[in-house]
PDB file of all heavy atoms in Angstrom:
ATOM      1  N   ARG A   4      -0.263 -11.687   9.089  1.00  0.00           N
ATOM      2  CA  ARG A   4       0.941 -11.123   8.510  1.00  0.00           C
ATOM      3  C   ARG A   4       2.094 -12.016   8.769  1.00  0.00           C
ATOM      4  O   ARG A   4       2.261 -12.459   9.825  1.00  0.00           O
ATOM      5  CB  ARG A   4       1.229  -9.701   8.998  1.00  0.00           C
ATOM      6  CG  ARG A   4       0.079  -8.711   8.851  1.00  0.00           C
ATOM      7  CD  ARG A   4      -0.157  -8.386   7.418  1.00  0.00           C
ATOM      8  NE  ARG A   4      -1.250  -7.313   7.450  1.00  0.00           N
ATOM      9  CZ  ARG A   4      -0.829  -6.021   7.272  1.00  0.00           C
ATOM     10  NH1 ARG A   4       0.310  -5.619   7.271  1.00  0.00           N
ATOM     11  NH2 ARG A   4      -1.943  -5.126   7.269  1.00  0.00           N
ATOM     12  N   VAL A  10       5.165  -4.547   9.989  1.00  0.00           N
ATOM     13  CA  VAL A  10       4.239  -4.258  11.170  1.00  0.00           C
ATOM     14  C   VAL A  10       4.535  -5.213  12.368  1.00  0.00           C
ATOM     15  O   VAL A  10       4.235  -4.896  13.509  1.00  0.00           O
ATOM     16  CB  VAL A  10       2.695  -4.501  10.621  1.00  0.00           C
ATOM     17  CG1 VAL A  10       2.290  -5.941  10.541  1.00  0.00           C
ATOM     18  CG2 VAL A  10       1.824  -3.727  11.590  1.00  0.00           C
ATOM     19  N   GLU A  17      -1.008   1.524  23.469  1.00  0.00           N
ATOM     20  CA  GLU A  17      -1.997   1.224  24.479  1.00  0.00           C
ATOM     21  C   GLU A  17      -3.407   1.598  23.896  1.00  0.00           C
ATOM     22  O   GLU A  17      -3.552   2.609  23.140  1.00  0.00           O
ATOM     23  CB  GLU A  17      -1.803   2.227  25.680  1.00  0.00           C
ATOM     24  CG  GLU A  17      -0.577   2.172  26.500  1.00  0.00           C
ATOM     25  CD  GLU A  17      -0.522   0.998  27.369  1.00  0.00           C
ATOM     26  OE1 GLU A  17      -1.598   0.677  28.088  1.00  0.00           O
ATOM     27  OE2 GLU A  17       0.479   0.377  27.578  1.00  0.00           O
ATOM     28  N   ILE A  29     -11.361  -7.256  16.926  1.00  0.00           N
ATOM     29  CA  ILE A  29     -11.106  -8.289  17.980  1.00  0.00           C
ATOM     30  C   ILE A  29     -11.951  -9.519  17.452  1.00  0.00           C
ATOM     31  O   ILE A  29     -11.385 -10.778  17.464  1.00  0.00           O
ATOM     32  CB  ILE A  29     -11.552  -7.902  19.352  1.00  0.00           C
ATOM     33  CG1 ILE A  29     -10.426  -6.825  19.870  1.00  0.00           C
ATOM     34  CG2 ILE A  29     -11.544  -9.053  20.359  1.00  0.00           C
ATOM     35  CD1 ILE A  29     -10.846  -6.109  21.137  1.00  0.00           C
ATOM     36  N   GLN A  31     -12.642 -10.449  14.525  1.00  0.00           N
ATOM     37  CA  GLN A  31     -12.029 -11.103  13.430  1.00  0.00           C
ATOM     38  C   GLN A  31     -10.708 -11.695  13.851  1.00  0.00           C
ATOM     39  O   GLN A  31     -10.299 -12.823  13.257  1.00  0.00           O
ATOM     40  CB  GLN A  31     -11.737  -9.903  12.384  1.00  0.00           C
ATOM     41  CG  GLN A  31     -12.985  -9.446  11.735  1.00  0.00           C
ATOM     42  CD  GLN A  31     -12.692  -8.279  10.704  1.00  0.00           C
ATOM     43  OE1 GLN A  31     -12.047  -8.379   9.732  1.00  0.00           O
ATOM     44  NE2 GLN A  31     -13.240  -7.185  11.023  1.00  0.00           N
ATOM     45  N   VAL A  33     -10.251 -13.304  16.715  1.00  0.00           N
ATOM     46  CA  VAL A  33     -10.698 -14.552  17.236  1.00  0.00           C
ATOM     47  C   VAL A  33     -10.877 -15.516  16.175  1.00  0.00           C
ATOM     48  O   VAL A  33     -10.395 -16.636  16.198  1.00  0.00           O
ATOM     49  CB  VAL A  33     -11.846 -14.396  18.238  1.00  0.00           C
ATOM     50  CG1 VAL A  33     -12.378 -15.775  18.613  1.00  0.00           C
ATOM     51  CG2 VAL A  33     -11.472 -13.497  19.383  1.00  0.00           C
ATOM     52  N   GLU A  59      -6.094 -18.701  23.639  1.00  0.00           N
ATOM     53  CA  GLU A  59      -6.946 -19.828  23.995  1.00  0.00           C
ATOM     54  C   GLU A  59      -6.402 -20.355  25.265  1.00  0.00           C
ATOM     55  O   GLU A  59      -5.291 -20.802  25.452  1.00  0.00           O
ATOM     56  CB  GLU A  59      -6.733 -20.951  22.871  1.00  0.00           C
ATOM     57  CG  GLU A  59      -7.459 -20.749  21.655  1.00  0.00           C
ATOM     58  CD  GLU A  59      -8.995 -20.667  21.739  1.00  0.00           C
ATOM     59  OE1 GLU A  59      -9.512 -21.271  22.688  1.00  0.00           O
ATOM     60  OE2 GLU A  59      -9.530 -20.133  20.859  1.00  0.00           O
ATOM     61  N   VAL A  65      -9.882 -15.935  25.432  1.00  0.00           N
ATOM     62  CA  VAL A  65      -9.754 -14.693  26.317  1.00  0.00           C
ATOM     63  C   VAL A  65      -9.276 -13.579  25.516  1.00  0.00           C
ATOM     64  O   VAL A  65      -8.195 -13.724  24.789  1.00  0.00           O
ATOM     65  CB  VAL A  65      -8.811 -15.017  27.553  1.00  0.00           C
ATOM     66  CG1 VAL A  65      -8.938 -13.861  28.574  1.00  0.00           C
ATOM     67  CG2 VAL A  65      -9.289 -16.299  28.199  1.00  0.00           C
ATOM     68  N   GLN A  82      10.681 -24.500  25.851  1.00  0.00           N
ATOM     69  CA  GLN A  82       9.894 -25.292  25.034  1.00  0.00           C
ATOM     70  C   GLN A  82       9.980 -24.767  23.631  1.00  0.00           C
ATOM     71  O   GLN A  82      10.155 -23.575  23.399  1.00  0.00           O
ATOM     72  CB  GLN A  82       8.412 -25.089  25.411  1.00  0.00           C
ATOM     73  CG  GLN A  82       8.231 -25.608  26.831  1.00  0.00           C
ATOM     74  CD  GLN A  82       7.334 -26.933  26.925  1.00  0.00           C
ATOM     75  OE1 GLN A  82       6.907 -27.398  25.885  1.00  0.00           O
ATOM     76  NE2 GLN A  82       7.334 -27.513  28.164  1.00  0.00           N
ATOM     77  N   VAL A  96      12.349 -21.510  23.338  1.00  0.00           N
ATOM     78  CA  VAL A  96      12.292 -20.227  23.992  1.00  0.00           C
ATOM     79  C   VAL A  96      12.144 -20.437  25.458  1.00  0.00           C
ATOM     80  O   VAL A  96      11.260 -21.209  26.065  1.00  0.00           O
ATOM     81  CB  VAL A  96      11.196 -19.402  23.522  1.00  0.00           C
ATOM     82  CG1 VAL A  96      11.119 -17.933  24.167  1.00  0.00           C
ATOM     83  CG2 VAL A  96      11.094 -19.208  21.916  1.00  0.00           C
ATOM     84  N   ARG A 107      -7.376  -5.463  30.512  1.00  0.00           N
ATOM     85  CA  ARG A 107      -8.836  -4.943  30.449  1.00  0.00           C
ATOM     86  C   ARG A 107      -9.475  -5.900  29.470  1.00  0.00           C
ATOM     87  O   ARG A 107      -9.006  -6.421  28.609  1.00  0.00           O
ATOM     88  CB  ARG A 107      -8.848  -3.521  29.862  1.00  0.00           C
ATOM     89  CG  ARG A 107      -8.295  -2.507  30.950  1.00  0.00           C
ATOM     90  CD  ARG A 107      -8.812  -1.209  30.794  1.00  0.00           C
ATOM     91  NE  ARG A 107      -8.234  -0.354  31.834  1.00  0.00           N
ATOM     92  CZ  ARG A 107      -8.844  -0.079  33.029  1.00  0.00           C
ATOM     93  NH1 ARG A 107     -10.074  -0.500  33.351  1.00  0.00           N
ATOM     94  NH2 ARG A 107      -8.234   0.644  33.963  1.00  0.00           N
ATOM     95  N   GLU A 129       2.712 -13.656  23.070  1.00  0.00           N
ATOM     96  CA  GLU A 129       1.817 -12.629  22.442  1.00  0.00           C
ATOM     97  C   GLU A 129       2.171 -11.204  22.961  1.00  0.00           C
ATOM     98  O   GLU A 129       2.220 -10.265  22.221  1.00  0.00           O
ATOM     99  CB  GLU A 129       0.360 -12.813  22.724  1.00  0.00           C
ATOM    100  CG  GLU A 129      -0.130 -14.159  22.189  1.00  0.00           C
ATOM    101  CD  GLU A 129       0.212 -14.426  20.802  1.00  0.00           C
ATOM    102  OE1 GLU A 129       0.494 -13.625  19.920  1.00  0.00           O
ATOM    103  OE2 GLU A 129       0.359 -15.656  20.434  1.00  0.00           O
ATOM    104  N   LEU A 130       2.610 -11.161  24.256  1.00  0.00           N
ATOM    105  CA  LEU A 130       3.139  -9.816  24.768  1.00  0.00           C
ATOM    106  C   LEU A 130       4.381  -9.454  24.094  1.00  0.00           C
ATOM    107  O   LEU A 130       4.578  -8.249  23.821  1.00  0.00           O
ATOM    108  CB  LEU A 130       3.394  -9.984  26.242  1.00  0.00           C
ATOM    109  CG  LEU A 130       3.658  -8.676  27.022  1.00  0.00           C
ATOM    110  CD1 LEU A 130       2.526  -7.835  26.971  1.00  0.00           C
ATOM    111  CD2 LEU A 130       4.198  -8.963  28.397  1.00  0.00           C
ATOM    112  N   ILE A 138       9.950 -14.774  17.667  1.00  0.00           N
ATOM    113  CA  ILE A 138      10.675 -16.007  18.107  1.00  0.00           C
ATOM    114  C   ILE A 138      12.034 -16.177  17.590  1.00  0.00           C
ATOM    115  O   ILE A 138      13.057 -16.620  18.206  1.00  0.00           O
ATOM    116  CB  ILE A 138       9.898 -17.372  17.905  1.00  0.00           C
ATOM    117  CG1 ILE A 138       9.394 -17.441  16.466  1.00  0.00           C
ATOM    118  CG2 ILE A 138       8.759 -17.410  18.844  1.00  0.00           C
ATOM    119  CD1 ILE A 138       8.857 -18.854  16.211  1.00  0.00           C
ATOM    120  N   ALA A 142      16.535 -17.287  18.756  1.00  0.00           N
ATOM    121  CA  ALA A 142      17.085 -18.345  18.042  1.00  0.00           C
ATOM    122  C   ALA A 142      18.731 -18.432  18.272  1.00  0.00           C
ATOM    123  O   ALA A 142      19.226 -17.363  18.441  1.00  0.00           O
ATOM    124  CB  ALA A 142      16.890 -18.225  16.477  1.00  0.00           C
ATOM    125  N   ILE A 154      16.705 -16.159   8.042  1.00  0.00           N
ATOM    126  CA  ILE A 154      17.757 -15.257   8.561  1.00  0.00           C
ATOM    127  C   ILE A 154      18.925 -15.276   7.839  1.00  0.00           C
ATOM    128  O   ILE A 154      19.707 -16.249   7.997  1.00  0.00           O
ATOM    129  CB  ILE A 154      17.960 -15.536  10.175  1.00  0.00           C
ATOM    130  CG1 ILE A 154      16.648 -15.644  10.828  1.00  0.00           C
ATOM    131  CG2 ILE A 154      18.723 -14.426  10.723  1.00  0.00           C
ATOM    132  CD1 ILE A 154      16.751 -16.550  12.084  1.00  0.00           C
ATOM    133  N   GLU A 157      23.421 -11.086   9.746  1.00  0.00           N
ATOM    134  CA  GLU A 157      23.700 -10.945  11.247  1.00  0.00           C
ATOM    135  C   GLU A 157      22.565 -10.214  11.898  1.00  0.00           C
ATOM    136  O   GLU A 157      22.097 -10.566  12.928  1.00  0.00           O
ATOM    137  CB  GLU A 157      25.025 -10.266  11.501  1.00  0.00           C
ATOM    138  CG  GLU A 157      26.130 -11.246  11.528  1.00  0.00           C
ATOM    139  CD  GLU A 157      25.851 -12.295  12.766  1.00  0.00           C
ATOM    140  OE1 GLU A 157      25.785 -11.912  13.864  1.00  0.00           O
ATOM    141  OE2 GLU A 157      25.846 -13.528  12.446  1.00  0.00           O
TER     142      GLU A 157
END
Side-chain angles (χ1 to χ4, degrees):
R4 306 291 186 93
V10 78
E17 299 280 320
I29 291 168
Q31 292 176 62
V33 170
E59 285 299 333
V65 187
Q82 300 253 346
V96 183
R107 295 206 173 262
E129 302 314 331
L130 189 63
I138 54 172
I154 309 157
E157 269 300 297

